[in-house]
Amino acid sequence: MEMIITAANKEGLLGLPHDCRRNILSYICPTELYASYAATSRLCHADSLDAQLPQTKFGEFHVTGRGETEINMESLLERISHASFLNAWQSPRSHMKIVSHERDGAVVTTKVDDLTFEEMQVQASSLSFGSITSLDLSVSHCKHGGELNRVLPRGITWLLSTMMPNLVELDLSNLHGGPIKEGDSISELALFNATNCPNLSKVVWNNRIGGGYFLRGRDLKTLTNLRELWADNLLCDWRYDKLFAPLLSQFFDENSIIQRFFFFACNEKLERVSLLGGRYVKIGSNDAIKFPQMSLIRFVRNTPQLRWFRSDLAEENVRMLSEERPEITFVAS
């Protein structure tokens, strides 16, 4: 949206009653507003901050500076620390959308010769965005099979998690998930733990591609208040974390000596879960297979607080489970 302000329409806009100006502003999409609304917001600054307008709650945060092809943590911290940035992220703004962390389908990397972790800790210790309750780190959808890097740099997830003590909802959709390398047991979610984000209760990670470690729920366990998990089109591929690849059979093979159910380490408090379109890739195979019915059934039976479940359960299995767990609402799509 391109907005041209002339002397004539400036006078006409300011001459309108407050309610009329607010209604006009409400038609502007929040993303367009934050990106290209500077001219009008200068004219109607008080109106643009009206609590009834969506743009007062929504904002975009560019993690790369102008002309940068990598994330420079030093310059990023400098921009975040600036008074104008801090003022822009005060109440009622509560939703932050991270942008410019994707280029040509891949997630950008951080500079190799950047700040040390200790230096970042010192600079970030005084930064806090207490009004932010919703953080969107998602990127555009990418089909399975590409070689593009779509894993967020750990420095970014660490920095954001330490600055948002009141975070309630996190969206990581379309990102690949760790651990990626053998011996790596740290994922993106582990950084948004109860120490940094004690109120985090909802995680959305649709179209996640990664290994089988995620199904154990070890990293989700660090989110002690997690109640809602959306992981539609989840793909668990043994090639992403070969160290844990043998564990896949515990979830999907009826003949496995050890039988595991999804998210067994964190399932006690889960109330709403969506696993529509879940698939996995067996060891030694390249083909994605739908989650077996018995795997979905086992999850329902072992999740005591579950009240809403969306999945690919067959109708006969939904009827059976509804008799066993009448308190659960089952959704097919």
Side-chain angles (χ1 to χ4, degrees), residues 49-292:
L49 298 178
D50 192 297
Q52 296 185 35
L53 295 178
Q55 68 268 16
T56 62
K57 300 177 177 64
F58 181 97
E60 293 179 348
F61 174 18
H62 292 255
V63 291
T64 55
R66 183 174 298 176
E68 293 179 347
T69 57
E70 295 178 301
I71 299 174
N72 185 320
M73 295 300 293
E74 186 172 5
S75 66
L76 177 61
L77 280 164
E78 288 178 357
R79 286 189 285 120
I80 294 175
S81 304
H82 196 276
S84 61
F85 188 92
L86 295 172
N87 290 335
W89 289 99
Q90 299 302 315
S91 181
R93 183 157 284 142
S94 59
H95 177 87
M96 179 182 285
K97 166 64 179 171
I98 302 300
V99 294
S100 73
H101 59 316
E102 178 185 15
R103 185 168 286 108
D104 298 327
V107 174
V108 297
T109 57
T110 53
K111 284 185 62 177
V112 176
D113 57 344
D114 223 327
L115 295 174
T116 65
F117 178 71
E118 290 74 17
E119 290 173 326
M120 287 194 298
Q121 271 190 312
V122 172
Q123 293 195 38
S125 60
S126 61
L127 300 174
S128 178
F129 299 94
S131 68
I132 303 301
T133 59
S134 175
L135 175 63
D136 186 351
L137 285 160
S138 65
V139 294
S140 59
H141 181 58
C142 179
K143 292 184 178 180
H144 176 53
E147 298 298 325
L148 296 174
N149 170 44
R150 296 176 70 81
V151 179
L152 281 172
R154 292 296 187 267
I156 291 298
T157 49
W158 168 82
L159 178 62
L160 294 171
S161 67
T162 58
M163 295 192 307
M164 300 179 186
N166 297 316
L167 192 65
V168 174
E169 181 176 343
L170 175 66
D171 191 342
L172 297 164
S173 294
N174 305 316
L175 288 164
H176 290 182
I180 298 299
K181 299 178 181 177
E182 292 189 21
D184 181 9
S185 61
I186 299 176
S187 79
E188 297 78 358
L189 285 174
L191 296 167
F192 290 90
N193 51 52
T195 301
N196 293 333
C197 307
N199 300 315
L200 185 57
S201 61
K202 179 179 179 180
V203 170
V204 179
W205 203 339
N206 295 325
N207 303 309
R208 182 191 189 276
I209 298 176
Y213 184 80
F214 178 70
L215 288 177
R216 296 171 64 84
R218 296 290 187 187
D219 44 4
L220 290 165
K221 188 177 181 179
T222 64
L223 285 58
T224 55
N225 283 310
L226 183 66
R227 300 289 189 276
E228 190 169 347
L229 176 63
W230 292 69
D232 291 342
N233 303 312
L234 172 65
L235 177 61
C236 298
D237 190 331
W238 68 277
R239 292 168 293 185
Y240 278 84
D241 54 6
K242 294 181 180 179
L243 180 66
F244 301 100
L247 302 178
L248 278 175
S249 63
Q250 299 177 0
F251 296 99
F252 302 117
D253 187 353
E254 288 185 283
N255 298 317
S256 174
I257 296 175
I258 300 175
Q259 296 286 313
R260 298 283 193 186
F261 54 89
F262 299 151
F263 313 118
F264 64 86
C266 70
N267 74 308
E268 291 186 359
K269 295 182 179 180
L270 286 174
E271 298 174 0
R272 293 173 61 87
V273 176
S274 183
L275 290 174
L276 192 68
R279 297 171 298 152
Y280 74 104
V281 179
K282 289 182 178 180
I283 296 179
S285 172
N286 297 326
D287 300 324
I289 308 168
K290 288 184 178 180
F291 284 175

